[in-house]
């Protein structure tokens, strides 16, 4: 059984059909890339999985549990974290408080402290800035904070929405290194990206989304050689 | 000199009660992003509950006080659940109009049950005064200041150092992101209403102790002025509510105390004049922060 299994998913915004019935799955330990142009519906899919947007039809099974009827605040406690598009860290709170909010569903204080230490160890920049107000971090630092905050819930799967958006090339590489590292630590990753080249290079498998439909899927390395993909997403 | 001191004491009394009420407006605005127009009327209901306990049932004062706070908290919870929660996500104008409707509803219920005449309480919390040199300081003033101060401190600690407080801050900034952290947004908003309304209950007690009377419109007039104080201090900010409330109380007391009799009627207008002035000079209020925007 797949860790995350999506079947016949449809999502509407009023009259607009944003997702038109898609199927895909994510197996434990995989890095899955979901690529597609602006407005294809990538963010909508992630929002529907974590409950911020209701599904019109279809099912989302996470480790055997149907998510479409679960309230969003209960989903993170089930082991699924979401690094949203645009980072959405809490700008007015400190780095430390952002991390603590990431562990909101956990109760054991000692374990939370250990997780914060672990995050600081992986991301020394956050340690240096732990009392800084998050809104004053640079864009790249904010993205790292958003990732650290997601790790604080000890997720088994992380959904990431365009983590490299708006970052300088140096930071883009760093973000992709972090994603690879998160995957190595044993966390499953569902990665939405505009930077198809980078995403395909670290992914196991990938899905290509066009205006609400999945039009291509397969092994990430093979998709990189696909002519349509090359033309549309790799700029070759 | 005597005159000045007693005017200042009056101002601080009034200002402390304004501050407690402003705090309710501010917290609810900060977290639910709505203007709870009926907040002032919750105070009115609270004072009537004191009237019922004390005058009609001769309950002991401490019991009366507890009942007043409980009535206000339950009322706030119920109003949020029945009137505002179904409108979550609706345009803020619909929510505002609903809140105005709730305000009229509470006033009309009071008219129905208690008629329009002003009711007087039977010696509620008459504590006398203590002599300091040649000066008499009413004990109730000390009670008002102490209560307000303690509430402000406790609230600040609650928000800074508990996970419920962090949840409130998170919801106030970004409801969606807060949900992704596992915060139950509806519950957090409910808790905020209960706290804000319980504070209105405390304000009702202090108001009642000072003025000893109530009519169906007591809350709305007082509430609008406290709202002006909240905007003046920076709506959404706890210290802002405190400073806004105290400033308004002092200014009002000073105008009543020192302007010629013929002009003292303008004291009510002062609150609104302040509000307009602040909105022109610094729309985010004295301590309100501009949003940190970062792309
Ligand atoms: N809240 C909304 N209300 C109405 N339409 C929406 C809403 N959110 C998204 N849409 C529409 O749904 C479609 C998919 O949007 P979505 O944000 O999922 O795309 P995306 O693939 O994430 O794009 P991008 O790469 O630009 O982030 C778009 O046509 C968008 O205009
Ligand atoms: Mg998107």
């Amino acid at each position: 059984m797949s860790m995350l299994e999506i079947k016949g998913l449809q999502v509407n915004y009023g009259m607009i059909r944003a997702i038109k019935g898609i199927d895909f799955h994510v197996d434990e330990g995989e890095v899955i890339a979901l690529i597609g142009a602006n407005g294809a519906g990538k963010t909508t899919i992630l929002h529907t999985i974590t409950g911020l947007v209701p599904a019109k039809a279809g099912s989302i099974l996470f480790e055997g549990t149907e998510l479409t009827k679960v309230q969003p605040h209960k989903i993170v406690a089930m082991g699924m974290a979401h690094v949203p598009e645009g980072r959405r860290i809490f700008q007015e709170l400190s780095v430390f408080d952002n991390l603590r909010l990431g562990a909101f569903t956990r109760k054991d204080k000692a374990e939370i402290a250990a997780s914060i230490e672990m995050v600081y160890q992986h991301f020394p920049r956050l340690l240096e800035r732990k009392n800084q107000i998050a809104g004053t971090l640079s864009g790249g630092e904010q993205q790292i904070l958003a990732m650290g905050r997601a790790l604080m819930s000890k997720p088994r799967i992380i959904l990431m929405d365009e983590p490299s958006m708006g970052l300088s090339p140096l930071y883009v590489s760093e973000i992709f290194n972090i994603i690879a590292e998160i995957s190595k630590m044993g966390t499953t990753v569902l990665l939405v990206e505009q930077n198809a080249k980078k995403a395909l290079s670290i992914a196991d498998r990938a899905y290509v989304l066009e205006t609400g439909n999945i039009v291509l899927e397969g092994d990430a390395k093979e998709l990189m050689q696909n002519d349509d993909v090359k033309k549309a997403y790799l700029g070759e | 000199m005597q005159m000045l001191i007693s005017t200042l004491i009056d101002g601080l009394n009034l200002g402390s009660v304004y501050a407690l009420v402003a705090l309710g407006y501010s917290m609810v605005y900060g977290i639910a992003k709505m203007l709870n127009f009926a907040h002032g009327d919750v105070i009115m209901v609270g004072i009537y509950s004191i009237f019922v306990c004390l005058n009609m049932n001769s309950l002991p004062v401490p019991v009366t006080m507890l009942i007043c706070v409980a009535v206000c908290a339950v009322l706030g919870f119920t109003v949020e659940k029945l009137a505002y929660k179904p409108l979550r996500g609706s345009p803020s104008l619909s929510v505002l109009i609903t809140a105005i409707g709730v305000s009229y509803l509470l006033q009309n219920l009071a008219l129905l049950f208690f008629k329009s005449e002003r009711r007087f309480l039977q010696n509620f919390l008459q504590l006398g005064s203590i002599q300091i040199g040649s000066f008499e300081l009413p004990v109730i003033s000390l009670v008002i200041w102490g209560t307000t101060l303690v509430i402000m401190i406790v609230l600040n600690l609650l928000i800074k150092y508990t996970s419920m407080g962090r949840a409130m801050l998170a919801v106030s900034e970004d409801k969606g992101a807060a949900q992704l952290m596992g915060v139950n947004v509806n519950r957090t908003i409910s808790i905020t209403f209960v706290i804000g309304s319980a504070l209105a209950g405390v304000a009702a007690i202090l108001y009642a102790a000072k003025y000893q009377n109530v009519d169906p419109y007591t809350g709305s007039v007082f509430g609008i002025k406290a709202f002006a104080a909240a905007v003046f201090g920076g709506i959404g900010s706890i210290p802002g509510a405190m400073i806004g409330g105290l400033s308004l109380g002092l200014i009002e007391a000073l105008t009543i105390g020192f302007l010629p009799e013929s002009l003292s009627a303008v004291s009510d207008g002062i609150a609104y004049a302040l509000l307009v002035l602040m909105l022109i000079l610094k729309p985010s209020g004295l301590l309100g922060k501009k949003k940190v925007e970062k792309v």
Side-chain angles (χ1 to χ4, degrees):
Chain A
M1 190 183 66
S2 297
M3 185 179 219
L4 181 63
E5 177 115 38
I6 281 131
K7 282 224 167 79
L9 183 68
Q10 295 178 32
V11 184
N12 292 2
Y13 292 110
M15 300 298 287
I16 302 167
R17 295 175 64 214
I19 302 297
K20 300 167 182 165
I22 58 165
D23 303 292
F24 72 95
H25 65 97
V26 181
D27 292 333
E28 187 159 4
E30 282 188 310
V31 175
I32 298 299
L34 188 57
I35 59 179
N38 289 114
K42 308 179 294 295
T43 300
T44 302
I45 294 175
L46 296 197
H47 278 176
T48 312
I49 295 173
T50 42
L52 295 182
V53 169
K56 169 91 167 72
S59 94
I60 301 171
L61 280 183
F62 175 54
E63 296 179 331
T65 310
E66 177 60 53
L67 289 190
T68 47
K69 297 285 172 293
V70 180
Q71 290 172 291
H73 66 267
K74 294 193 173 140
I75 289 175
V76 60
M78 297 167 68
M80 177 183 285
H82 182 166
V83 183
E85 184 173 58
R87 306 165 193 125
R88 290 169 76 170
I89 53 161
F90 300 106
Q91 307 248 339
E92 288 168 22
L93 305 185
S94 68
V95 167
F96 179 62
D97 279 341
N98 267 276
L99 292 177
R100 282 205 289 188
L101 271 162
F104 188 77
T105 55
R106 296 168 57 192
K107 294 289 161 263
D108 189 317
K109 286 212 167 72
E111 279 186 23
I112 293 173
S115 295
I116 291 189
E117 282 315 307
M118 187 273 290
V119 169
Y120 285 156
Q121 224 167 51
H122 281 277
F123 313 123
R125 281 163 205 281
L126 296 184
L127 177 60
E128 289 159 26
R129 295 171 171 76
K130 65 177 175 183
N131 294 319
Q132 193 171 327
I133 297 303
T136 63
L137 295 174
S138 78
E141 289 161 356
Q142 292 193 13
Q143 186 62 53
I144 292 176
L145 176 58
M147 301 239 186
R149 184 182 68 174
L151 289 173
M152 288 299 301
S153 66
K154 283 201 162 174
R156 289 186 295 286
I157 184 168
I158 297 194
L159 320 183
M160 299 184 191
D161 199 341
E162 304 207 30
S164 74
M165 186 168 58
L167 302 185
S168 68
L170 206 68
Y171 252 111
V172 172
S173 299
E174 177 158 354
I175 293 295
F176 277 94
N177 288 340
I178 291 171
I179 298 170
E181 203 173 324
I182 288 174
S183 163
K184 259 201 227 103
M185 294 186 312
T187 311
T188 308
V189 175
L190 174 56
L191 173 65
V192 159
E193 259 301 338
Q194 294 265 351
N195 191 332
K197 197 175 215 157
K198 284 271 188 195
L200 291 175
S201 73
I202 66 163
D204 297 303
R205 292 184 300 116
Y207 294 88
V208 179
L209 195 69
E210 256 172 37
T211 56
N213 290 306
I214 287 178
V215 292
L216 267 176
E217 58 180 277
D219 182 89
K221 304 290 165 301
E222 282 166 22
L223 280 179
M224 266 170 133
Q225 304 308 321
N226 181 299
D227 285 338
D228 293 339
V229 173
K230 273 187 180 168
K231 219 164 55 211
Y233 302 103
L234 302 176
E236 287 174 19
Chain B
M1 190 61 199
Q2 288 269 346
M3 164 82 178
L4 178 64
I5 293 178
S6 66
T7 303
L8 289 178
I9 289 176
D10 254 4
L12 285 177
N13 290 345
L14 189 61
S16 300
V17 187
Y18 278 142
L20 285 180
V21 182
L23 206 55
Y25 278 107
S26 231
M27 284 181 73
V28 165
Y29 181 84
I31 289 159
K33 297 285 176 286
M34 68 160 290
L35 176 53
N36 182 14
F37 211 79
H39 187 61
D41 300 289
V42 173
I43 302 172
M44 175 270 295
V45 173
I47 306 176
Y48 274 113
S49 79
I50 295 175
F51 175 76
V52 170
C53 289
L54 210 62
N55 291 36
M56 297 163 70
N57 293 296
S58 316
L59 293 181
V61 169
V63 178
T64 301
M65 285 165 38
L66 275 181
I67 289 180
C68 172
V69 173
V71 162
C72 290
V74 170
L75 180 64
F77 177 82
T78 314
V79 164
E80 197 275 329
K81 196 113 260 144
L82 297 183
Y84 304 148
K85 193 175 163 204
L87 293 177
R88 204 90 80 224
S90 311
S92 51
L93 193 60
S94 335
V95 183
L96 179 65
I97 289 170
T98 306
I100 293 174
V102 171
S103 168
Y104 281 127
L105 177 70
L106 293 178
Q107 287 171 24
N108 281 297
L109 285 175
L111 271 173
L112 185 68
F113 287 113
F114 299 103
K115 307 289 180 287
S116 64
E117 76 232 40
R118 184 164 290 195
R119 305 292 184 142
F120 290 85
L121 302 174
Q122 278 165 5
N123 298 329
F124 176 62
L125 278 183
Q126 301 283 36
L127 300 175
S129 54
I130 48 173
Q131 195 76 30
I132 302 176
S134 64
F135 191 78
E136 285 203 354
L137 180 64
V139 172
I140 189 65
S141 298
L142 294 176
V143 173
I144 290 177
W145 304 340
T147 310
T148 307
L149 195 68
V150 167
I151 285 179
M152 293 289 168
I153 292 172
V154 168
L155 213 55
N156 251 314
L157 294 178
L158 207 73
I159 287 181
K160 280 218 177 83
Y161 297 107
T162 66
S163 82
M164 185 192 75
R166 266 193 299 283
M168 288 176 162
L169 293 174
V171 171
S172 112
E173 218 186 299
D174 185 337
K175 288 193 182 58
Q179 280 179 311
L180 293 181
M181 303 299 111
V183 173
N184 183 339
V185 169
N186 279 328
R187 196 167 141 258
T188 308
I189 292 178
S190 281
I191 292 175
T192 308
F193 265 88
V194 168
I195 294 178
S197 307
L199 293 181
V202 175
I205 292 173
L206 300 180
Y207 184 98
K210 191 161 157 33
Y211 298 104
Q212 303 286 334
N213 68 61
V214 60
D215 66 50
Y217 308 106
T218 301
S220 74
V221 175
F222 196 80
I224 286 177
K225 286 198 267 176
F227 168 65
V231 173
F232 179 78
I235 196 152
S237 150
I238 289 182
M242 178 99 183
I243 291 176
L246 288 177
S247 319
L248 182 62
L250 284 171
I251 292 171
E252 211 178 299
L254 287 171
T255 38
I256 295 177
F258 290 103
L259 281 186
E261 195 81 24
S262 56
L263 280 179
S264 69
V266 303
S267 78
D268 266 4
I270 297 280
Y272 309 115
L274 261 183
L275 177 63
V276 172
L277 199 67
M278 184 51 90
L279 288 176
I280 292 170
L281 295 179
K282 188 166 183 288
S284 57
L286 219 48
L287 297 187
K289 43 200 157 192
K290 280 213 210 88
K291 255 198 140 40
V292 212
E293 295 284 359
K294 187 130 206 174
V295 188

